[in-house]
Amino acid sequence: LTAPSLAGRRILVSAGPTWEPFDPVRFISNPSTGKMGYALATVAARRSGEVHLVSGPSTLAAPQGVRLSKVVTAREMQESVLALAPGMDAIVMAAAVSDFRPTEEAPQKIKKIAGEEAVRLTRNPDILAALGRSRPGGRHQVLVGFAAETENLIENAREKLIEKNLDFIVANNLTQSGSGFGSDTNQVKILDRDGTITELPCLTKEEVAEMVMDRVEQQLGKGEHD
Ligand code: C5P
């Protein structure tokens, strides 16, 4: 009997959207449900990885054998991820982190006004880019990103792979049916640093998670031999 493939490996997965409040009852967000990230955590735990899932708001149940930290905002997700990052062998950021937050958060529910209301937004910190810059787990730590795009999928994904200094990136086209937010399936392309593009057929998110974890294992194996 061979040992389960991620035994002894510490894997951090992020999932879900973030909520960025305007006031106590309103927020800016996106349609992410967390399915891709929860599938990744499920698969990694099934392979005997020591898995920590940092999740934005999601109705999904905690996967078996996974440590779950629930957060709401991008800044909370950043705090949680950065605190865990140094001890992790691999980090897979599947969360759809809100790129912006309202500049001001009103302490009470904002009252209706007649006519137009302008809102000011501030950029949120890019958690994955910060990890790529500092590589808190050392040079053998595996960093994986997701790129959800509506146009120029390969170009945009490649740019993120390089800019965020990742080991590989999983690109998915949001305009394709059976892919993206809320779907049980995903059709993705995996881009490597050496320029290789692996095009996968439409698969369940759990099958995509298996392919992603296969690659994580491969990368971890490489790190051991150099
Ligand atoms: O730049 P973009 O948001 O498309 O990049 C997507 C990747 O970066 C995802 O892996 C996502 O989890 C991560 N990300 C992040 N922090 C942000 C925005 C995105 O970690 N503020």
Side-chain angles (χ1 to χ4, degrees):
L1 202 79
T2 52
S5 48
L6 284 170
R9 302 295 198 180
R10 303 188 70 198
I11 315 287
L12 175 58
V13 179
S14 73
T18 63
W19 287 358
E20 311 295 328
F22 290 100
D23 70 20
V25 295
R26 302 184 181 98
F27 55 84
I28 180 174
S29 190
N30 60 65
S32 169
T33 56
K35 281 180 187 167
M36 191 63 244
Y38 279 62
L40 285 159
T42 301
V43 167
R46 212 188 277 147
R47 296 185 184 193
S48 296
E50 204 183 299
V51 185
H52 204 123
L53 176 62
V54 176
S55 174
S58 168
T59 57
L60 299 174
Q64 277 272 322
V66 166
R67 261 181 288 177
L68 175 64
S69 300
K70 289 294 271 289
V71 297
V72 177
T73 67
R75 284 182 294 175
E76 287 168 14
M77 184 171 281
Q78 179 190 39
E79 194 181 310
S80 185
V81 167
L82 295 188
L84 291 163
M88 295 291 155
D89 295 301
I91 303 177
V92 184
M93 284 290 298
V97 185
S98 297
D99 292 314
F100 298 93
R101 66 174 179 274
T103 304
E104 277 135 86
E105 184 185 348
Q108 303 299 334
K109 187 179 170 189
I110 298 167
K111 293 294 172 200
K112 282 191 267 295
I113 58 158
E116 286 179 24
E117 168 100 81
V119 295
R120 290 210 305 143
L121 300 174
T122 298
R123 275 293 300 270
N124 268 328
D126 191 319
I127 304 165
L128 189 52
L131 293 172
R133 274 193 302 273
S134 66
R135 291 271 169 172
R139 70 191 179 96
H140 295 312
Q141 185 175 56
V142 177
L143 280 188
V144 183
F146 274 72
E149 305 291 341
T150 57
E151 56 177 6
N152 305 327
L153 180 65
I154 298 292
E155 294 76 10
N156 287 332
R158 183 172 291 130
E159 197 176 303
K160 286 171 191 180
L161 171 72
I162 301 305
E163 268 183 5
K164 301 189 195 219
N165 191 26
L166 310 176
D167 293 289
F168 66 90
I169 193 159
V170 185
N172 72 319
N173 184 342
L174 293 178
T175 63
Q176 203 158 43
S177 68
S179 259
F181 294 132
S183 173
D184 287 321
T185 57
N186 225 353
Q187 187 169 352
V188 305
K189 300 184 193 339
I190 300 181
L191 283 74
D192 279 308
R193 290 191 74 82
D194 66 6
T196 312
I197 302 173
T198 309
E199 301 197 18
L200 299 178
C202 187
L203 300 170
T204 64
K205 285 185 173 173
E206 201 160 305
E207 288 167 334
V208 172
E210 297 278 3
M211 307 296 282
V212 171
M213 287 302 160
D214 284 350
R215 292 210 169 222
V216 167
E217 275 181 35
Q218 269 174 27
Q219 293 278 342
L220 287 170
K222 274 188 214 162
E224 274 183 351
H225 300 299
D226 65 28

